[in-house]
Amino acid sequence: MQRKSLAVILAAGDATRMKSSMSKVLHPVGNLPIITHVTAAAKSAGIDRVALVVGRDAEKVAEAGAKAGVEVTPVLQSERKGTGHAVLMAREVIAEGYDDVIVLYGDAPLIDPKSLSDAIEARKEGADMVVLGFTAVDPTGYGRMIVENGELTAIVEEKEATDEQKKIDFCNGGIITMDGGDAISLLDAIGNDNAKGEYYLTDVVSICRARGGKVIALEAPEADMMGCNTRAELAALEAEWQDRRRREIMLSGVTLCDPATVYFSHDTEIGRDVLIEPSVWFGPGVSVGEGAVIHAFSHIEGATIGEGAQVGPFARLRPGADLGEGSKVGNFCEVKKADIGPGAKVNHLTYIGDATIGAKANIGAGTITCNYDGVNKHRTVIGEGAFIGSNSSLVAPVEIGDGAYIGSGSVITKTVEADALALTRTPQENRPGKASILRARAEAVKAARKQQK
Ligand code: UD1
Ligand code: MG
């Protein structure tokens, strides 16, 4: 039978050290709120019910948590009285009846779902309580895990630890899995007679032991337990997350010339044999088809890039840019809400917005789709195989037919039918010998000025 597990995620901290106008768990890592990473990990471990202990931004935090596809019940902790007190805010949800209650911290987004399922597995195998620990490079500030004969006997907080206990580097990572039926009674037994006068969740370990329960510790990598208290820690989390993602992406068959300079989002999808040059940023909602090349210094978000397409260097693809197979968007081009047909080329210094460009069309350097009249946006439609001469302005709404040809420097305001040539510039006029006459006149002015001095 499927086990019923509840995650109680603590996210009520004031996060004063973040010096932010919003809850720290709403800050993004890989362009996804920290709290969504945590609920997504729970979901991947088979937990789809979450009691979220919130303080500030309750609604937004609950909404972000639910984005991972889990059922979230926000419970408010209006006074911070410690982690044990925080978990008890979820009393009613816990009372619904679960096999396991797993307490997680909402500000640690790198947790591996495997560690959560391992904890649930250990419960199935007979442990009454399972605590996830890690070996800290610097254990200062963490609760120390006291392990005797393979069982966890207590967690001692830094402030209560003896000098001897402070030497222990096996620390509490904050993820505690307990029996759902015992949880409320264990939590109710926590007192606040300690150095901080807080209700320490960690006391459940010795309480469970005193009642004859078996408590074990599992170890996870320290990096998985990283939390977020300051902007510096947020940056460290981002760096770790990016490193992991880069590695995964490379192992899936993508070449990154200089991995440390390429930034992905949580949902970036990159096909096989894609080549990504240095300094490329992927915002949310990007997918790149097989064999595409993303040249250096490109900034891409909300875009779909077809197989074998080429982007950049220095390209900006904004939301709604959809590049067909084998198409090209070259240097200093910006594309927004536009379909670029298969094999079409937008190679230099161009803005394409609110447009459809047919297959194999060629958009000359400096072309601008004038999509905005100051109030409304309008569309430009360019047919297959059309040729737009350099430095043309296409004033939308406007349509250019298949195979049409726009002379360079034109300002197009009316429909151009298929295979027509459209020109809007004044005809060229050549005056033989006139240049040397002008030059001689200028030289004479210069000589006269010199004499006057
Ligand atoms: C806690 C653990 C410690 C562990 C460390 C790991 C306790 C008593 N100690 O210490 O053993 O090594 O985490 O990082 O649990 N929170 C609330 N409401 C509260 C208090 C806290 O929601 O009343 C939330 C915080 O927002 C935070 C989490 O619980 O996300 C942990 O609280 P924090 O104050 O950071 O605990 P630590 O002292 O770091
Ligand atoms: Mg902490």
Side-chain angles (χ1 to χ4, degrees):
M1 213 183 70
Q2 175 71 34
R3 235 178 140 76
K4 263 179 83 186
S5 304
L6 169 74
V8 178
I9 302 180
L10 307 190
D14 293 320
T16 40
R17 283 180 290 162
M18 284 291 281
K19 301 200 165 74
S20 176
S21 60
M22 65 178 182
S23 160
K24 68 174 166 181
V25 300
L26 291 174
H27 284 263
V29 166
N31 281 310
L32 188 73
I34 288 174
I35 190 66
T36 317
H37 284 270
V38 180
T39 52
K43 167 109 181 145
S44 302
I47 307 162
D48 44 26
R49 184 82 167 90
V50 170
L52 198 51
V53 183
V54 287
R56 56 199 291 199
D57 297 327
E59 252 171 59
K60 283 186 188 151
V61 171
E63 198 180 300
K67 263 201 227 160
V70 290
E71 189 191 342
V72 173
T73 304
V75 291
L76 192 70
Q77 187 195 25
S78 36
E79 270 180 299
R80 291 332 142 240
K81 292 185 178 172
T83 48
H85 176 259
V87 180
L88 265 178
M89 298 298 106
R91 182 188 293 272
E92 281 174 26
V93 188
I94 297 171
E96 287 169 10
Y98 292 91
D99 296 309
D100 316 290
V101 168
I102 305 183
V103 181
L104 294 149
Y105 293 160
D107 69 346
L110 301 181
I111 186 65
D112 183 351
K114 172 87 173 38
S115 299
L116 305 181
S117 34
D118 284 351
I120 295 174
E121 198 53 41
R123 283 259 314 118
K124 271 193 221 170
E125 285 166 13
D128 295 291
M129 188 176 286
V130 183
V131 180
L132 224 54
F134 63 96
T135 304
V137 174
D138 174 10
T140 314
Y142 292 115
R144 309 301 207 282
M145 308 266 271
I146 316 293
V147 180
E148 284 164 19
N149 303 321
E151 290 194 22
L152 184 68
T153 57
I155 300 175
V156 182
E157 291 304 305
E158 170 93 14
K159 288 216 162 135
E160 276 78 30
T162 62
D163 287 345
E164 208 48 39
Q165 287 168 332
K166 280 186 184 154
K167 287 184 195 148
I168 297 172
D169 63 359
F170 188 40
C171 296
N172 172 26
I175 297 174
I176 301 185
T177 305
M178 53 190 119
D179 185 286
D182 296 342
I184 290 176
S185 138
L186 289 168
L187 294 162
D188 272 334
I190 297 174
N192 66 348
D193 183 15
N194 54 46
K196 280 184 165 176
E198 280 187 2
Y199 294 86
Y200 291 162
L201 170 65
T202 43
D203 285 353
V204 288
V205 171
S206 40
I207 296 168
C208 180
R209 290 268 307 177
R211 294 181 183 182
K214 180 181 171 191
V215 185
I216 63 158
L218 296 179
E219 184 163 356
E222 181 169 14
D224 288 15
M225 304 280 178
M226 274 165 79
C228 180
N229 296 305
T230 63
R231 306 282 178 149
E233 284 175 12
L234 178 63
L237 279 170
E238 182 73 34
E240 176 66 22
W241 186 89
Q242 290 291 346
D243 268 349
R244 292 178 180 195
R245 194 77 192 105
R246 289 169 188 138
R247 200 178 149 71
E248 270 172 14
I249 284 179
M250 288 188 280
L251 293 181
S252 74
V254 174
T255 299
L256 304 185
C257 304
D258 185 3
T261 65
V262 177
Y263 289 81
F264 296 105
S265 286
H266 65 102
D267 59 352
T268 311
E269 287 173 20
I270 314 272
R272 232 171 34 154
D273 288 322
V274 168
L275 172 78
I276 303 174
E277 290 182 356
S279 297
V280 173
W281 187 85
F282 292 97
V286 177
S287 79
V288 183
E290 281 191 24
V293 178
I294 314 294
H295 294 285
F297 299 103
S298 294
H299 189 282
I300 303 168
E301 59 186 316
T304 305
I305 298 168
E307 284 183 22
Q310 291 204 43
V311 174
F314 297 98
R316 173 149 191 231
L317 303 184
R318 291 171 51 204
D322 188 335
L323 277 51
E325 200 176 320
S327 62
K328 273 178 86 174
V329 171
N331 37 222
F332 308 107
C333 292
E334 174 179 342
V335 178
K336 180 215 79 167
K337 256 197 207 163
D339 291 342
I340 312 286
K345 290 180 189 160
V346 182
N347 271 344
H348 332 267
L349 301 153
T350 287
Y351 172 67
I352 300 292
D354 301 298
T356 303
I357 295 179
K360 298 211 166 124
N362 190 304
I363 312 297
T367 299
I368 305 289
T369 52
C370 310
N371 59 330
Y372 187 46
D373 59 16
V375 180
N376 295 302
K377 300 273 169 73
H378 306 279
R379 286 195 75 77
T380 300
V381 178
I382 299 173
E384 288 186 14
F387 182 95
I388 313 296
S390 297
N391 204 29
S392 294
S393 301
L394 310 174
V395 183
V398 71
E399 250 177 78
I400 292 156
D402 292 349
Y405 198 109
I406 307 297
S408 300
S410 295
V411 178
I412 301 297
T413 53
K414 292 188 294 212
T415 300
V416 179
E417 59 272 29
D419 293 318
L421 167 67
L423 289 169
T424 67
R425 54 187 195 230
T426 45
Q428 183 170 329
E429 186 190 342
N430 287 5
R431 300 187 187 176
K434 184 75 179 178
S436 49
I437 294 168
L438 288 177
R439 197 156 42 240
R441 198 187 285 162
E443 298 286 1
V445 170
K446 190 175 178 183
R449 281 189 185 160
K450 216 173 179 179
Q451 263 190 354
Q452 277 173 8
K453 276 187 189 165

